[in-house]
Amino acid sequence: MKFCKKYEEYMQGQKEKKNLPGVGFKKLKKILKKCRRDHVSSRIALNEAISQQHGNNCPRECTVCDGTFFPELLREMEDVVGWFNENAQKLLELHLASGFKKCFAWFKGNNRKKDHLGLIQEGKDLVSYALINAVAIRKILKKYDKIHESSQGQAFKTQVQKMRIEILQSPWLCELMAFHINLKESQKDSGAVLASPALFDGCSLMFDDGKPLLSCDLSDSVKVDIDLTCSICLDTVFDPIALTCGHIYCYMCACAAASVSVVDGLKTADPSEKCPLCREVGVYKGAVHLDELSILLRRSCREYWEERRKTERAERLQQAKDYWDNQCRSFTGI
């Protein structure tokens, strides 16, 4: 079965359950096909020799394709990533909630009908949605490059990564990967045998020369590797946080890089502060705390985690003390 048909059938099946945004794969292919057909007709009419030389492709820069194809694809990608992030966040918040918050979440909206297995199935559905849309975007950009004899599709993909709307770069995909491993480990520890669906077929936390790496084979052609070494302290990330550019740091390291205290938090960071790695600005305010990843690393690196927890606790207390001392001085004028 061709991917276009497979994608259309998948999205149709999902839309019967819920109204999901998707990539207009067939519509985008028609834009490219029409552009190629119109360009060929025009070229033949104007110059037979040029047509023979360049075949049936559009020119490298095409105002028709670039004026309709890329804006349409960009809008659809924003919708897809936005929906995925929002629903993955809700799912993981419900899983990690406890006490009154969990009861409130269960009885709010449709969550009341979801049991433990239902949450796992929803996580699997989210992963499938992310994967098939990532493949759809990759294929349609490859089609663009083939027709235009150019690498503008790859350039667009690079631009999308900078705009932080690449679904495989989402911090919530990282959280779902950690969620998957945590569930497996919890079932092992309890000795429970549950016929629950797996979120991923191949996903693991590996250590290469002591450096942690979260690796997942989403399909034969799509693999995601996430380095879990903080590039500031050069150690395994502790209390990990993902900036909006996608880079992961220890929370206290990120606060130091943003020139804010842990009391004020990253939301108070100046918009001009840059990511230490990619040097992008404005990446701190929308940072995401990776709670599932924190649980996974605490479980996998117990000695390191305990030692680091004691060190950071003392440092946080000192920062809090200094902060309130400064506040008191400012208030009293001393």
Side-chain angles (χ1 to χ4, degrees):
M1 182 188 296
K2 287 188 176 181
F3 179 79
C4 183
K5 188 175 180 182
K6 178 182 176 184
Y7 181 76
E8 292 293 328
E9 286 183 359
Y10 170 83
M11 291 304 298
Q12 188 62 36
Q14 293 300 311
K15 282 179 180 177
E16 289 175 2
K17 304 175 190 175
K18 54 190 99 170
N19 189 23
L20 298 184
V23 176
F25 199 78
K26 189 179 288 187
K27 182 181 176 182
L28 292 170
K29 281 182 71 177
K30 283 181 179 179
I31 292 173
L32 295 177
K33 188 176 180 181
K34 181 180 185 301
C35 183
R36 177 170 59 181
R37 185 173 59 245
D38 292 348
H39 182 73
V40 169
S41 300
S42 174
R43 254 189 333 197
I44 290 174
L46 293 172
N47 196 322
E48 184 83 19
I50 295 175
S51 179
Q52 291 286 336
Q53 182 182 356
H54 292 283
N56 292 336
N57 293 320
C58 293
R60 289 178 183 272
E61 294 184 5
C62 172
T63 54
V64 176
C65 274
D66 296 353
T68 55
F69 177 85
F70 285 128
E72 182 71 17
L73 180 57
L74 187 64
R75 181 188 63 77
E76 290 170 351
M77 288 179 72
E78 287 177 334
D79 290 344
V80 166
V81 175
W83 188 90
F84 172 79
N85 288 345
E86 181 184 348
N87 284 272
Q89 182 178 1
K90 286 179 181 177
L91 173 71
L92 293 167
E93 283 177 351
L94 181 58
H95 174 248
L96 291 171
S98 59
F100 175 76
K101 286 184 179 179
K102 192 156 193 172
C103 290
F104 182 75
W106 272 125
F107 286 99
K108 184 181 178 183
N110 294 325
N111 289 328
R112 68 186 70 184
K113 296 181 180 178
K114 295 176 186 172
D115 57 9
H116 180 70
L117 292 179
L119 288 177
I120 298 173
Q121 183 59 54
E122 185 173 337
K124 184 174 176 60
D125 291 343
L126 281 169
V127 171
S128 299
Y129 175 79
L131 175 59
I132 199 164
N133 277 285
V135 173
I137 292 163
R138 180 177 296 185
K139 283 186 176 292
I140 198 66
L141 288 176
K142 189 176 179 182
K143 183 84 172 173
Y144 177 95
D145 285 341
K146 183 178 178 183
I147 289 173
H148 286 264
E149 296 181 332
S150 72
S151 57
Q152 285 179 261
Q154 184 59 42
F156 174 77
K157 191 175 179 184
T158 303
Q159 177 194 353
V160 161
Q161 288 175 344
K162 288 183 179 178
M163 293 173 66
R164 305 151 199 165
I165 55 171
E166 220 291 315
I167 198 164
L168 296 183
Q169 301 295 323
S170 169
W172 295 107
L173 183 62
C174 173
E175 278 287 83
L176 285 173
M177 290 163 66
F179 172 56
H180 164 79
I181 299 172
N182 287 334
L183 282 175
K184 281 173 58 180
E185 294 300 318
S186 295
Q187 289 176 13
K188 263 188 211 174
D189 293 343
S190 64
V193 180
L194 295 176
S196 58
L199 272 69
F200 301 90
D201 292 329
C203 184
S204 61
L205 174 66
M206 302 183 295
F207 290 88
D208 183 11
D209 195 23
K211 301 296 183 183
L213 181 75
L214 195 58
S215 181
C216 186
D217 294 313
L218 292 173
S219 70
D220 294 337
S221 60
V222 181
K223 184 176 182 180
V224 176
D225 289 325
I226 302 172
D227 184 8
L228 300 179
T229 300
C230 175
S231 61
I232 297 176
C233 66
L234 302 180
D235 217 330
T236 301
V237 288
F238 180 86
D239 192 14
I241 193 158
L243 306 186
T244 54
C245 59
H247 292 117
I248 299 175
Y249 300 98
C250 308
Y251 180 72
M252 288 197 67
C253 291
C255 286
S259 303
V260 296
S261 72
V262 292
V263 180
D264 290 325
L266 291 176
K267 292 188 184 300
T268 63
D270 191 285
S272 63
E273 293 292 345
K274 300 176 181 177
C275 168
L277 271 178
C278 64
R279 310 307 295 167
E280 277 196 57
V281 298
V283 294
Y284 291 98
K285 191 172 182 180
V288 175
H289 242 114
L290 303 177
D291 295 320
E292 287 286 352
L293 181 60
S294 184
I295 293 169
L296 173 60
L297 291 172
R298 184 172 70 236
R299 186 198 301 265
S300 305
C301 317
R302 294 183 187 277
E303 290 183 10
Y304 161 76
W305 203 261
E306 186 60 29
E307 182 182 342
R308 185 77 182 262
R309 186 185 68 81
K310 290 177 182 176
T311 304
E312 290 223 352
R313 184 171 181 272
E315 192 172 342
R316 289 188 185 217
L317 286 172
Q318 185 60 48
Q319 282 197 28
K321 181 178 180 298
D322 292 343
Y323 175 85
W324 289 112
D325 283 347
N326 289 332
Q327 292 293 314
C328 288
R329 289 194 191 98
S330 298
F331 182 73
T332 58
I334 299 175

